[in-house]
Amino acid sequence: MDNIKIAVDAMGGDNAPSEIIKGAVDAVNELGSNIILVGIEDVINKELDKYSFDKSKITVKNASEVITTEEVPTMAIRHKKDSSIVVGLNLVKNGEASAFVSAGSTGAVLTGGTFIIGRIKGIERPALGTCLPTANGKFAFLIDSGANVDCKSNYLVQFAKMSSLYVEHVMGIKNPKVGLLNIGVEKEKGNSLTKETYSLLEETNLNFIGNIEPRDVPFGNADIIVCDGFAGNTVLKFAEGLSQAIMGIIKDEITDGFYKIPAAFLIKPFKNIKKRFDSEEVGGAPFLGLKSLVVKAHGSSKAKGIKNAIKQCEIFVENDIVLKIEEQL
């Protein structure tokens, strides 16, 4: 693992730089990771002084600018050349780092990843993959979850191929089941995009199980859910909101009046439920189809999420997923 270095945007996210840097330190102490922290050098070093770790495992790369979520991504990438996102992506492009993690502006990370690192030859559109928790205690990999709102059928087939390799080698699910998000399970259901994609997926050597309806996604009926970025992001945002609403309702009910005493006995199971819905367990969403891995961590990520995003990068690089995607295509 000594030859794998992960560049981490220390300035991106709601909890930057403190939680980002703590996550990097935890990755060094727990995983033996090699990290390049990118951002305002004085700020990063001041934060690092709070921790004990192998100093040879973390280097700091100065970047004087920060891209905010309010900025237009293309303009920000073009004009803020010394931002933590642009500098970090260039470290990967130049071979100084193996992958890049950022909890900063999603648009800037995706735009910068595409233009700075570039696509794998043959990949028409990179796609963002997100892990959704399921009732069987595992995850369903949703791709595309927001990078491409308009898609062609051949894009979706490439998404399916890339994510099959990712899910098998990074998430450890052999021969993952691929489902096509649709309004019905029948082959003839859907719009022209889903019908064309269905026929193309049937011709691949993937473990394609046909259409899957949104209501079946939480039950783990498929390991991979393929869709365009508009539908995927809609499913993702609804799932996030619904899970928060349900957890809030349950908490209100069991801590109200008569239930307060028995609720004390339910603390552990509810902590377990919360853990299963915790995005920090996965670490972030991989942007697949680039020449090197870029992971978009959740904007509210804390140290645990950053550490797991770094771990995800290391597994990706160790398994040479980019080469596998090139061979697959």
Side-chain angles (χ1 to χ4, degrees):
M1 195 177 294
D2 286 342
N3 62 334
I4 298 175
K5 286 188 176 182
I6 310 302
V8 178
D9 174 11
M11 314 309 294
D14 302 337
N15 300 304
S18 58
E19 289 292 329
I20 310 300
I21 292 171
K22 185 178 186 301
V25 171
D26 289 345
V28 169
N29 290 336
E30 297 175 29
L31 308 174
S33 305
N34 287 281
I35 310 293
I36 304 174
L37 285 171
V38 186
I40 301 171
E41 191 171 10
D42 292 344
V43 173
I44 295 173
N45 285 328
K46 184 178 180 180
E47 198 69 30
L48 284 174
D49 287 341
K50 299 177 182 179
Y51 302 101
S52 297
F53 58 93
D54 183 346
K55 301 297 190 292
S56 68
K57 294 282 189 178
I58 294 182
T59 57
V60 178
K61 179 70 173 178
N62 187 55
S64 62
E65 298 174 302
V66 178
I67 294 176
T68 67
T69 54
E70 290 78 25
E71 295 178 78
V72 178
T74 50
M75 296 294 289
I77 292 296
R78 185 177 298 122
H79 295 293
K80 287 192 170 181
K81 300 292 187 183
D82 201 40
S83 65
S84 53
I85 290 176
V86 173
V87 172
L89 289 169
N90 274 308
L91 287 174
V92 178
K93 177 186 177 182
N94 298 331
E96 297 173 65
S98 304
F100 178 63
V101 174
S102 176
S105 164
T106 301
V109 172
L110 301 188
T111 301
T114 303
F115 288 107
I116 295 172
I117 294 178
R119 294 173 289 169
I120 295 171
K121 185 177 180 180
I123 293 293
E124 297 192 63
R125 293 288 188 279
L128 195 63
T130 302
C131 288
L132 299 177
T134 59
N136 59 8
K138 298 180 181 179
F139 291 93
F141 192 72
L142 179 72
I143 190 165
D144 182 13
S145 58
N148 306 279
V149 294
D150 296 306
C151 288
K152 298 178 181 179
S153 56
N154 51 312
Y155 298 176
L156 268 60
V157 173
Q158 288 191 345
F159 298 168
K161 291 179 177 181
M162 291 191 295
S163 54
S164 291
L165 290 168
Y166 181 87
V167 168
E168 178 169 349
H169 294 283
V170 177
M171 298 174 64
I173 301 173
K174 299 297 181 184
N175 197 28
K177 295 179 290 184
V178 178
L180 179 64
L181 190 71
N182 209 334
I183 57 173
V185 296
E186 300 85 358
K187 181 178 179 178
E188 64 274 7
K189 283 289 182 73
N191 54 21
S192 58
L193 174 63
T194 55
K195 290 176 184 177
E196 290 172 14
T197 304
Y198 191 110
S199 297
L200 291 175
L201 286 172
E202 280 187 311
E203 298 172 4
T204 68
N205 59 357
L206 301 174
N207 185 11
F208 178 54
I209 62 170
N211 289 326
I212 182 169
E213 295 182 88
R215 65 182 178 185
D216 294 321
V217 172
F219 296 98
N221 293 13
D223 300 307
I224 297 165
I225 314 298
V226 178
C227 56
D228 64 79
F230 184 89
N233 197 258
T234 302
V235 168
L236 176 62
K237 296 291 175 58
F238 178 76
E240 288 177 344
L242 182 63
S243 64
Q244 290 171 7
I246 291 174
M247 293 300 289
I249 291 169
I250 293 173
K251 182 180 178 182
D252 290 342
E253 289 292 323
I254 67 172
T255 56
D256 181 47
F258 172 78
Y259 297 104
K260 283 186 177 179
I261 295 176
F265 297 98
L266 299 175
I267 291 175
K268 185 175 180 179
F270 275 102
K271 280 186 177 179
N272 292 338
I273 292 172
K274 186 178 180 181
K275 182 178 179 180
R276 285 169 63 170
F277 282 88
D278 188 4
S279 62
E280 301 268 293
E281 293 292 326
V282 177
F287 194 34
L288 300 180
L290 301 179
K291 293 176 182 177
S292 297
L293 179 62
V294 171
V295 171
K296 174 61 184 72
H298 201 285
S300 61
S301 290
K302 294 191 175 181
K304 181 181 177 182
I306 298 302
K307 180 194 73 176
N308 285 330
I310 292 167
K311 180 180 179 180
Q312 182 185 152
C313 291
E314 291 170 346
I315 297 172
F316 184 97
V317 176
E318 286 171 347
N319 284 277
D320 210 347
I321 304 300
V322 169
L323 178 61
K324 288 181 170 64
I325 291 172
E326 290 173 339
E327 292 173 345
Q328 172 79 282
L329 294 174

